[in-house]
Structure formats: structure tokens, C-alpha cells
Amino acid sequence: MRKTAREIIFDVESHLACSKKKHYSDFYIGITNDVDRRLFGEHNVDKNHAWWIYRTAVDKATAQVVEEHFLSKGMKGETGGGTDDTIYVYCYEVTDTTKE
């Protein structure tokens, strides 16, 4: 289900509240058109044992709004790139085994 920026921000904030981390800088936020490749492949997030979340945005512009929102709060990550099908917003806890 595709979600608005407000819905995705709420979901991510709710998920953050379940984490033992207290700072936005302990997390990475990004957007992609392929969650498995980006999150579990390129970032090396452990699919079964790590803290992560992703949501599907209405469109790329919505995904970028969410990304910029969390970057402004101090999460790791960068803006830019992507194609029109870059509609997935993902967030994960940065650990010794993840690759930013």
C-alpha cells in the first residue's frame, strides 16, 4: 500500500520508539526502487536480526520529503539520485556490520 509522507513519518517514528537507540544519528534513512538490493545487499543489513523498516510512498517526491525530514533531524544518509520508480523509503540502525 502506498502511503503519504505523513503516514510514513508516523510509521518510522513509531518504529524508532521501539529501538534502544536514542539519537537520530544512530539511524540511516534512504530511498530506493529496490529494497532488497539496497537495504540487505548494499547496506549489509541483517534481514533477520537487525532493526529496519521500509514503506512504499505515493511517488518519488513523497519519498524525498520523508527522506529530507529525517535527514534534517540528524539521520545519516544523503539526498539525490533515483528514478521515477524510487518510491521506497527505508531506515535502519547503523551498526558495526552495516555499510553506509
Side-chain angles (χ1 to χ4, degrees):
M1 179 171 98
R2 294 184 180 209
K3 295 188 169 201
T4 65
R6 174 181 265 177
E7 291 171 319
I8 296 171
I9 289 168
F10 178 83
D11 287 353
V12 171
E13 289 285 2
S14 296
H15 201 59
L16 286 174
C18 298
S19 169
K20 294 179 182 178
K21 301 292 182 172
K22 297 182 186 216
H23 305 286
Y24 284 103
S25 60
D26 292 325
F27 300 93
Y28 186 100
I29 189 81
I31 61 174
T32 186
N33 64 351
D34 184 336
V35 173
D36 284 335
R37 172 187 52 81
R38 191 80 172 118
L39 191 59
F40 308 117
E42 295 172 6
H43 287 298
N44 198 42
V45 173
D46 184 326
K47 192 172 193 172
N48 298 312
H49 300 102
W51 185 99
W52 57 270
I53 184 174
Y54 83 89
R55 292 293 185 261
T56 307
V58 173
D59 54 22
K60 180 183 179 185
T62 301
Q64 289 174 312
V65 166
V66 175
E67 180 182 46
E68 290 170 6
H69 170 82
F70 285 109
L71 288 172
S72 72
K73 289 186 169 283
M75 280 192 184
K76 294 176 173 29
E78 297 178 12
T79 60
T83 57
D84 288 343
D85 62 346
T86 301
I87 59 169
Y88 302 103
V89 179
Y90 64 91
C91 180
Y92 65 89
E93 181 181 342
V94 174
T95 68
D96 292 340
T97 60
T98 57
K99 298 176 186 172
E100 288 63 63

